[in-house]
Amino acid sequence: MRRPLVMGNWKMHGTTASVSELLDGLGGLDAPATEVAVCPSYVHIPQALAACHGTGISVGAQDCSHAREGAYTGEISASMLTDLGCQWVILGHSERRQYHDESDALIAAKLAAALDAGLSPVLCVGETRDEREAGDAESVVAAQLRGALEGQKSLAQVTIAYEPVWAIGTGLTASPAQAQAMHAFLRQALAGLAGEALAAQARLLYGGSVKPDNAAELFEQPDIDGALVGGASLKAGDFRQIIQAAGPRG
Ligand code: PEP
């Protein structure tokens, strides 16, 4: 049985005051069946770690460097994140692929660095609207999966997030059936890369305009094990409702 995971991606939002308010709003969560994590901007990570201590909410980053250490001005290494107390790192988010030209090879190097440092990576894959309309959605996500995961030492700590680019921050959501079909495809592709046993236990998150009113039907799908939530994770009330919708299941 895979434990659902609901993770908030706060992107480049927040001030010390608003982050404090948001974290206060997540206090007293009672959702033992669901794992909950938040990924603030780098500068708010220590604040989030302090506020989440003892709450059961874990903390991650939205990216990390491919390099272990050295002359990489402006970069943050994976081991710096584990040293702080982070558990997670989001890698290959479509906004990184789009605005920072991140290639599958670079994402693979970041993933290796994250695993070496003891972080649990959440690898994002997803097709654009044009790619879906051209009938290429499966081949695109399969190539992204292979490009990041092939040749990695171990995939046991890796979570996959299927985030169709056309659904991120747009208010459009993949229908539960569309999302389930892609998740089933991804699990099969993962089995080809890492074996049936690992694929059966890997958590596959859906991301793309998840909201309180669409979360439950997404979470009912057998291969959807939680969500990576952007906009709605910035509102404590909405995020709490999404967490409640994730479990317990079945
Ligand atoms: C995201 O950025 O990972 C995301 C899913 O955003 P949103 O929920 O706002 O679509």
Side-chain angles (χ1 to χ4, degrees):
M1 182 81 174
R2 297 179 295 267
R3 187 177 179 212
L5 167 63
V6 176
M7 176 175 284
N9 172 13
W10 293 355
K11 309 195 186 192
M12 196 172 71
H13 290 292
T15 60
T16 308
S18 71
V19 164
S20 170
E21 197 179 322
L22 181 51
L23 291 163
D24 281 353
L26 297 180
L29 258 185
D30 184 21
T34 302
E35 189 163 3
V36 179
V38 294
C39 297
S41 77
Y42 289 126
V43 296
H44 296 126
I45 286 174
Q47 187 184 349
L49 281 163
C52 292
H53 186 74
T55 65
I57 302 176
S58 53
V59 177
Q62 300 168 19
D63 188 32
C64 71
S65 176
H66 67 289
R68 288 359 186 220
E69 67 171 340
Y72 296 95
T73 301
E75 289 286 88
I76 306 283
S77 73
S79 62
M80 288 172 178
L81 296 172
T82 26
D83 183 47
L84 275 182
C86 285
Q87 185 176 328
W88 306 94
V89 63
I90 298 170
L91 293 175
H93 192 280
S94 62
E95 289 151 13
R96 303 283 323 166
R97 294 179 192 262
Q98 184 181 352
Y99 304 134
H100 301 271
D101 285 331
E102 291 201 0
S103 64
D104 289 329
L106 177 62
I107 294 162
K110 290 182 175 199
L111 201 129
L115 289 174
D116 278 355
L119 287 173
S120 297
V122 177
L123 171 69
C124 300
V125 299
E127 80 287 358
T128 63
R129 181 194 286 265
D130 285 352
E131 289 163 344
R132 176 162 280 266
E133 284 173 0
D136 294 336
E138 288 189 351
S139 60
V140 167
V141 300
Q144 290 172 337
L145 198 72
R146 219 177 25 251
L149 299 186
E150 213 162 45
Q152 299 288 354
K153 275 188 252 168
S154 162
L155 300 182
Q157 293 308 314
V158 179
T159 296
I160 310 294
Y162 169 56
E163 299 211 311
V165 180
W166 47 272
I168 296 181
T170 58
L172 299 173
T173 319
S175 68
Q178 275 174 325
Q180 166 56 27
M182 188 58 92
H183 279 234
F185 172 78
L186 279 167
R187 202 175 293 286
Q188 206 177 28
L190 194 56
L193 284 167
E196 295 283 346
L198 190 140
Q201 71 180 34
R203 287 187 291 193
L204 307 185
L205 311 183
Y206 171 77
S209 299
V210 176
K211 304 272 185 277
D213 61 2
N214 60 21
E217 54 181 0
L218 287 161
F219 296 151
E220 274 165 16
Q221 306 305 310
D223 285 295
I224 297 184
D225 305 312
L228 181 55
V229 185
S233 70
L234 294 167
K235 295 179 193 148
D238 285 5
F239 194 51
R240 293 179 83 104
Q241 286 184 57
I242 293 168
I243 293 163
Q244 294 300 339
R249 304 193 302 174

